[in-house]
Amino acid sequence: MKKRLAIYPGTFDPITLGHLDIIERAVSVFDEVVVSVGRNIGKQPLFSVEERIEMIEKTTAHLSNVRVTYFDGLIVEYAKKLNAVAMIRGLRAMSDFEFEFQMALVNRTLYPDLVQVFLMPHEAYTHLNSTIVREVSSFGGDISAFVTPYVADVLHKKFYRSSEK
Ligand code: ADP
């Protein structure tokens, strides 16, 4: 039988426990989940693509059916290339809905065969995003409830080192 592959695109700057929650739900319904770091023209990321990929790989190391990649360009074209049957997105609150709804309709027009799946994280993560994590960490706050110890360490080093310059 054909492998049912889903793609989960995002900026992941850095990956949080909210993203991980979505990935863990996705792997329970698909054969393989490709977490893909994309370039977002509206965002200037703190971490390089390589750093973000490494953090995702470390955070998902316990999941055998997760692959991490990078894509540039149209996500639907990349999904087609991978033969993905679905695209995963996380929905935290109503505030995500408007944007996600718009994107979903555009993507559906571009690639009607790609099913878009929206997953809700545990309520502990509905307030969480990468921006908050970067901000709290930049002020030396405790981010252990939001990211894995490895990611917390990478963030700490990033701010610690850059403040030494
Ligand atoms: P974007 O794609 O807007 O740059 P991210 O890379 O942070 O944002 O997120 C990728 C996907 O993960 C999006 O669908 C986003 O809604 C979802 N997501 C981000 N943070 C969480 C969270 N705490 N819980 C559930 N889903 C999340």
Side-chain angles (χ1 to χ4, degrees):
M1 212 177 91
K2 193 174 152 238
K3 237 174 137 181
R4 299 182 69 79
L5 186 151
I7 181 164
Y8 178 35
T11 311
F12 305 104
D13 187 36
I15 183 169
T16 68
L17 296 181
H19 292 124
L20 177 61
D21 178 297
I22 296 298
I23 295 167
E24 284 176 340
R25 284 171 208 278
V27 293
S28 71
V29 281
F30 292 99
D31 298 318
E32 186 175 12
V33 174
V34 175
V35 182
S36 198
V37 175
R39 198 162 59 91
N40 186 328
I41 46 167
K43 291 183 182 176
Q44 186 54 49
L46 173 67
F47 292 104
S48 69
V49 170
E50 292 73 24
E51 287 172 318
R52 282 179 277 158
I53 287 178
E54 194 173 1
M55 284 187 277
I56 300 169
E57 281 174 348
K58 291 255 162 62
T59 302
T60 59
H62 60 296
L63 303 167
S64 59
N65 51 345
V66 169
R67 189 150 50 99
V68 189
T69 65
Y70 167 73
F71 79 97
D72 196 4
L74 272 181
I75 184 64
V76 289
E77 289 304 324
Y78 184 58
K80 221 179 258 183
K81 212 173 96 188
L82 288 176
N83 270 321
V85 294
M87 178 161 99
I88 311 288
R89 296 290 289 176
L91 272 188
R92 283 160 289 194
M94 281 304 286
S95 51
D96 277 342
F97 182 78
E98 191 82 27
F99 174 76
E100 294 293 342
F101 186 64
Q102 207 175 20
M103 279 299 299
L105 292 183
V106 171
N107 286 334
R108 183 181 284 170
T109 306
L110 296 172
Y111 184 12
D113 290 342
L114 184 69
V115 176
Q116 296 174 77
V117 178
F118 296 88
L119 297 172
M120 277 190 303
H122 186 278
E123 60 264 30
Y125 305 127
T126 51
H127 63 287
L128 193 56
N129 63 47
S130 302
T131 307
I132 289 174
V133 169
R134 289 194 305 273
E135 275 179 18
V136 172
S137 179
S138 74
F139 295 118
D142 179 10
I143 50 168
S144 58
F146 310 139
V147 296
T148 59
Y150 175 79
V151 172
D153 193 48
V154 174
L155 267 161
H156 181 77
K157 283 184 179 137
K158 183 74 135 190
F159 289 117
Y160 182 68
R161 282 210 192 115
S162 51
S163 69
E164 271 187 337
K165 274 181 205 153

